[in-house]
Amino acid sequence: MTWEIIAGFIALTGFIGTIAGVCVKVVVPLTRSIVTLNENVKNLCAKFSLFDEDNTRSHRRLWEHNEKQDACLESYGRRLHDLDGK
């Protein structure tokens, strides 16, 4: 081997090492950010699931109360109708 080939090989190895270092500096934080985002999305999905269950229970209570009020108003309407003699 001649010195030019060895120098070229060292230069090529250094260039590949530099490119690999730059890629690692870019890929590692990006991977860390993606993992963090995935965890946050999973947590949000769990919270929305709980919110949906709570919302369903709340609406059920409101509708039950509404039905009780409808029955009460219907009863008052019948009493007024009977009192008016119509």
Side-chain angles (χ1 to χ4, degrees), residues 16-26:
I16 291 173
T18 302
I19 296 297
V22 169
C23 287
V24 167
K25 284 183 180 179
V26 170

Side-chain angles (χ1 to χ4, degrees), residues 23-75:
C23 287
V24 167
K25 284 183 180 179
V26 170
V27 170
V28 168
L30 181 62
T31 303
R32 193 174 303 137
S33 296
I34 290 172
V35 168
T36 303
L37 284 172
N38 282 339
E39 291 174 2
N40 288 340
V41 167
K42 286 178 185 177
N43 289 337
L44 281 174
C45 286
K47 287 182 181 181
F48 277 126
S49 176
L50 291 174
F51 175 74
D52 190 36
E53 292 172 9
D54 290 341
N55 194 26
T56 301
R57 281 195 300 266
S58 176
H59 282 142
R60 189 175 300 123
R61 280 194 318 253
L62 287 171
W63 281 108
E64 287 172 358
H65 183 69
N66 189 27
E67 289 172 359
K68 288 178 185 176
Q69 286 182 339
D70 286 346
C72 187
L73 287 173
E74 185 179 335
S75 172

